[in-house]
Amino acid sequence: MTEDWLLYEVFIRSRSGLEHKHVGSVHAADARMAIEHARDTYTRRLEGVSIWVVRSSEIVASDPEEAEALFEPARDKIYRHPTFYAIPEEVKNL
Amino acid sequence: MYTQALDSAGAAEPQGDVEEAARLERFQARIDRDEKIEPKDWMPEDYRQALIRQIAQHAHSEVVGMLPEGNWITRAPSLRRKVVLIAKVQDEGGHGMYLYSAAETLGVSRAALIEQLLAGRAKYSSIFNYPTLTWADIGAIGWLVDGAAIMNQIPLCRCSYGPYARAMVRICKEESFHQRQGYELMLTLVRGSAAQRTMAQEALNRWWWPSLMMFGPSDAHSVHTAQSLRWKIKRFSNDELRQKFIDVTVPQAQYLGLTVPDPQLCWDEPAQHFRAGPIDWSEFQAVLAGDGPCNRERLAARREAHEAGRWVREAAAAYAEKHRTARPRPAAEEGGT
Amino acid sequence: MSAAIAPERPHATAEERFEYTLRLADTSLVAGQRLAEWLGHGPALEEDLALGNIALDLIGQARLLLALAGRIEGRGRDEDALAFWRDAGQFRNVSLAEQPNGDFGQTIVRQCLLDAWQLETYASLAGSLEAELADIAKKAVKECRYHWRYSSGWLVRLGDGTEESHRRVGAAVQDLWRFTDELLTPDALDARMTECGIAPPAAAIRERWERRVAGVLAEAKLPQPARSHYPWHGKRGVHTEALGHLLATLQHLPRTYPGVSW
């Protein structure tokens, strides 16, 4: 008989207007318990107004070995940034 | 965190010495640039093992550390002191959880780590093998033991392993009230009756030396220090931190009007440091080897809680299995981001 | 209790209001002290944290209520004077609250039965004519709603978990049920407080408590015991043996060193 609980990742919205942010993990047998454990572990000091929990095994992560292939190609696309375009000082509101 | 995902992905095994050496070099270069290492990044096996050992030891210390203070929760002498102590002991449990959670990102399960603790194969801070005999010990622990812990932990907020560093940031933020409440408790005692002042002095006598030992063996005898410093999973040596602790704590004891139990303690004017007498390392070794005053009681209490809780954990897992397909009852539900 | 400011309502004496406030205060204090015993010994680290949080809520309620009781009494007794310097016979908590923790299942059953009562009581007390009590109740009811969520969730898991957990928690329900009638049956003081617009009507609390508890017992697949009429009178100061031991521990330090601050 198993006594091992599942691992859940915990995401907290610290106040309304902000996104949920990963803060850590908890063990729990079920989703309801995971919310309770996340609340008692990560919001004892008013750190949150909303909690998400996700089974850790459900998270699909990019492979660090592929980091170059995934992210390097964005490096030279400097024309996506406003500073790429030279505009005379006198022109306002751009 | 991402334990399962990590297991399935599996860190690529090094192939051949040249490639291995290059990888190690790149890894060390990242650390030297103060880049953080994250769970799924490649890391040398020794780095992973050293981190698991250090984080687990730290986590176990938090959890075992709940016991000596928990010993006084039911007897706290005012309701204010009672809620403070409950909140503090509860924080320690929380810190244990943050740390186990960080260790789990390295591919080891919390269950396995706890198993090692209960089997007596894992280390935890030897300070928690000392008894809390009077209420003043609660003050001394907050002031000295948490003080020493903070000194150890603040540099770890900058440690090279991301999840550990983040756990330490959270822990340090929460710890700051622990030390202050301990000092405030001592202050109340020394301003109280003669009996209370005696209680406070005796607590300082009991906890001073064990607190100094908390920083670990002196650098000359520390096995892991050099490599750990290079990997930035440790940022200062044991002796540096110990000296810093002595320098800040002695004036605090003086303010309380208490005597530090070290006849050789003196102020070194040219160096601008307090110089402490020699530490009795044989005591440290004995406590570490399991012969401290409370080693047996502490482990027995953890084992008992674990055994007595087994049916509860099994029941929750069995219930969840039966209702696996059902949606959770009222729990928070939300969609989108 | 919306029928506020009815001029014909009788006024409770300070002594009656003091006694009634102590019933609420001592129930929270004693239950909080019991839960705090779990810290470091729970079935999982997460449960240590959870039980600690509930203990903090309960002792927090007790502090506010004891301070209020002291003000009503007007003899200068503060929260600590009332918590540490009364003997068992002067404690007014319901007997259920003082029952020993036993195993985790017994603690959960005790809390579940008590949480349902506190939740319904505080929800109604939010409309009390005793303004300060109403304010405390408004805060407490939020806490009690979470306590109920926690304990009822666990009761269902244990009742519908394994054979062993079902047996253990079923035995705990049978064992603790005899203390529930005290929660729900008003005595003369309760009736008087209701009459004065301070306390909620007992019949309504009973009905809501029974519905709540019956629902969770059914979900936990546990039979509901028959109504028990044994006259427990914790709220009048007639307690079980358990309270004396709890107070011996709780009060030991201030009584060993009287007259100092901590």
Side-chain angles (χ1 to χ4, degrees), chain A residues 30 32 36-37 39-40, chain C residues 46-47 53 146 149 157:
Chain A
D30 54 56
R32 170 181 167 132
E36 289 167 8
H37 288 168
R39 177 248 195 200
D40 288 327
Chain C
E46 284 88 346
E47 302 324 317
N53 264 350
Y146 185 77
R149 174 193 157 113
R157 281 185 205 103

Side-chain angles (χ1 to χ4, degrees), chain B residues 19-63:
Chain B
E19 206 169 316
E20 168 77 358
R23 268 197 142 155
L24 277 173
E25 208 170 294
R26 281 202 302 275
F27 178 79
Q28 188 61 48
R30 288 187 66 190
I31 289 186
D32 294 343
R33 285 196 302 271
D34 273 333
E35 270 180 44
K36 295 287 183 219
I37 308 300
E38 293 296 342
K40 285 164 54 101
D41 293 350
W42 182 85
M43 60 187 84
E45 195 48 32
D46 289 350
Y47 175 85
R48 181 188 302 274
Q49 290 309 325
L51 267 174
I52 290 175
R53 188 177 58 236
Q54 185 174 331
I55 301 173
Q57 187 175 333
H58 195 161
H60 296 329
S61 301
E62 296 282 358
V63 173

Side-chain angles (χ1 to χ4, degrees), chain B residues 39 52 82 91 142 148 151-152 162 195 218 243 251 265 275 284-285 306 311 314 337:
Chain B
I52 290 175
K82 191 187 290 289
D91 271 353
M151 207 133 275
N152 255 323
S218 82
Q243 184 60 53
L265 182 77
R275 296 294 173 206
F284 179 75
Q285 294 303 341
H306 190 74
W311 71 272
E314 284 176 352
T337 50

Side-chain angles (χ1 to χ4, degrees), chain C residues 230-250:
Chain C
Y230 193 91
W232 299 102
H233 294 308
K235 57 190 179 187
R236 292 215 297 273
V238 184
H239 290 278
T240 61
E241 289 177 345
L243 184 66
H245 295 280
L246 180 145
L247 293 181
T249 308
L250 176 90

Side-chain angles (χ1 to χ4, degrees), chain B residues 299-333:
Chain B
L299 271 190
R302 286 314 309 159
R303 280 186 199 124
E304 200 181 309
H306 190 74
E307 290 305 318
R310 189 182 308 278
W311 71 272
V312 177
R313 297 189 299 275
E314 284 176 352
Y319 175 82
E321 191 55 44
K322 283 187 217 175
H323 299 266
R324 185 72 69 205
T325 48
R327 289 287 296 153
R329 291 173 304 131
E333 322 229 349

Side-chain angles (χ1 to χ4, degrees), chain C residues 129-165:
Chain C
L129 292 184
E130 179 89 58
E132 286 188 84
L133 187 56
D135 287 343
I136 295 171
K138 281 176 205 152
K139 174 179 178 294
V141 71
K142 295 177 204 156
E143 297 165 346
C144 294
R145 201 163 281 134
Y146 185 77
H147 303 168
W148 167 256
R149 174 193 157 113
Y150 176 82
S151 62
S152 64
W154 265 110
L155 187 61
V156 170
R157 281 185 205 103
L158 296 177
D160 189 19
T162 61
E163 232 169 84
E164 182 183 7
S165 71

